[in-house]
Amino acid sequence: NAGVTQTPKFRVLKTGQSMTLLCAQDMNHEYMYWYRQDPGMGLRLIHYSVGEGTTAKGEVPDGYNVSRLKKQNFLLGLESAAPSQTSVYFCASSYVGSRSNNIREQFFGPGTRLTVL
Amino acid sequence: GESVGLHLPTLSVQEGDNSIINCAYSNSASDYFIWYKQESGKGPQFIIDIRSNMDKRQGQRVTVLLNKTVKHLSLQIAATQPGDSAVYFCAEGGTSYGKLTFGQGTILTVHP
């Protein structure tokens, strides 16, 4: 299994441009998440999805949109990129059902480094 | 909102020493806690977890301690190796849809 994959790995945008980040998982997980990570800070949740066709806002959703048309894919869109969106973006997924100890571990992708000029 | 924080942003140790990384949390309703390791240029990787009804859990070379009285979590790494050099995050979860709240991270540097 590839686990969680993200494309692209790197991207440079100019202010006002748009782009879509793709996350794919092959573990049949129901839940998927998008985070951003800024220097000196932990991961902050942007949006998440609890199943195909559903999305919800996280801690820092402004300026981003998401879609979950297929269970295995979770897309993160930037309609009009701003320098404040320069960050490393991580996608993660987790089980719906709990493990034996009822803890839902999240599995992370390798990240996308985005720079907005 | 509720958040998870760390006392020390950096920790430097010698190879073979034991390392202790600390974390303070504020949400008493969190059901479980997870420690993640993040190496440079990679995504976070699961290390160990602990439920809120436990106070200690051991893994291979790692131990997590939970003190709910003072809302404190720690990760102990025995016989630290250069390969342990990374950023370590604590995260709390269990309140909603598997969402996790992450601390800011501690940079662990292991010197040979």
Side-chain angles (χ1 to χ4, degrees), chain A residues 13-19 78-83 85 116-117:
Chain A
L13 291 178
K14 294 182 180 179
T15 297
Q17 288 185 318
S18 63
M19 77 162 295
L78 285 74
E79 291 185 347
S80 180
Q85 295 177 303
V116 183
L117 303 176

Side-chain angles (χ1 to χ4, degrees), chain A residues 1-68:
Chain A
N1 288 347
V4 179
T5 58
Q6 294 181 233
T7 54
K9 287 184 170 53
F10 304 93
R11 186 73 185 268
V12 178
L13 291 178
K14 294 182 180 179
T15 297
Q17 288 185 318
S18 63
M19 77 162 295
T20 300
L21 283 67
L22 171 64
C23 175
Q25 52 94 6
D26 60 2
M27 297 174 283
N28 202 34
H29 287 169
E30 288 288 343
Y31 294 173
M32 297 187 74
Y33 314 85
W34 274 109
Y35 293 91
R36 61 178 288 171
Q37 183 176 37
D38 300 300
M41 299 180 71
L43 287 82
R44 292 184 292 169
L45 183 64
I46 304 171
H47 285 281
Y48 65 99
S49 169
V50 301
E52 183 178 317
T54 72
T55 62
K57 294 180 180 180
E59 179 186 356
V60 289
D62 294 342
Y64 304 95
N65 56 76
V66 289
S67 63
R68 183 99 180 269

Side-chain angles (χ1 to χ4, degrees), chain B residues 2-39:
Chain B
E2 301 283 5
S3 65
V4 177
L6 294 173
H7 296 307
L8 299 175
T10 62
L11 179 63
S12 184
V13 302
Q14 291 295 126
E15 182 177 1
D17 288 350
N18 296 332
S19 301
I20 299 176
I21 300 171
N22 297 302
C23 174
Y25 67 94
S26 58
N27 188 352
S28 57
S30 291
D31 192 33
Y32 54 82
F33 304 86
I34 303 176
W35 281 99
Y36 282 91
K37 173 186 180 182
Q38 186 178 25
E39 296 176 283

Side-chain angles (χ1 to χ4, degrees), chain B residues 44-108:
Chain B
Q45 180 181 11
F46 173 91
I47 302 173
I48 191 168
D49 56 30
I50 187 168
R51 285 191 59 80
S52 60
N53 61 356
M54 302 172 67
D55 53 21
K56 181 179 181 179
R57 188 152 192 247
Q58 288 184 295
Q60 188 174 14
R61 280 201 309 120
V62 294
T63 300
V64 57
L65 300 178
L66 176 62
N67 185 332
K68 293 181 288 296
T69 301
V70 295
K71 296 181 181 176
H72 184 266
L73 192 69
S74 69
L75 176 70
Q76 300 178 359
I77 305 174
T80 315
Q81 304 167 359
D84 294 326
S85 293
V87 179
Y88 289 80
F89 293 96
C90 65
E92 55 181 326
T95 55
S96 175
Y97 298 115
K99 289 189 292 182
L100 295 174
T101 300
F102 285 82
Q104 76 177 106
T106 291
I107 301 172
L108 174 65

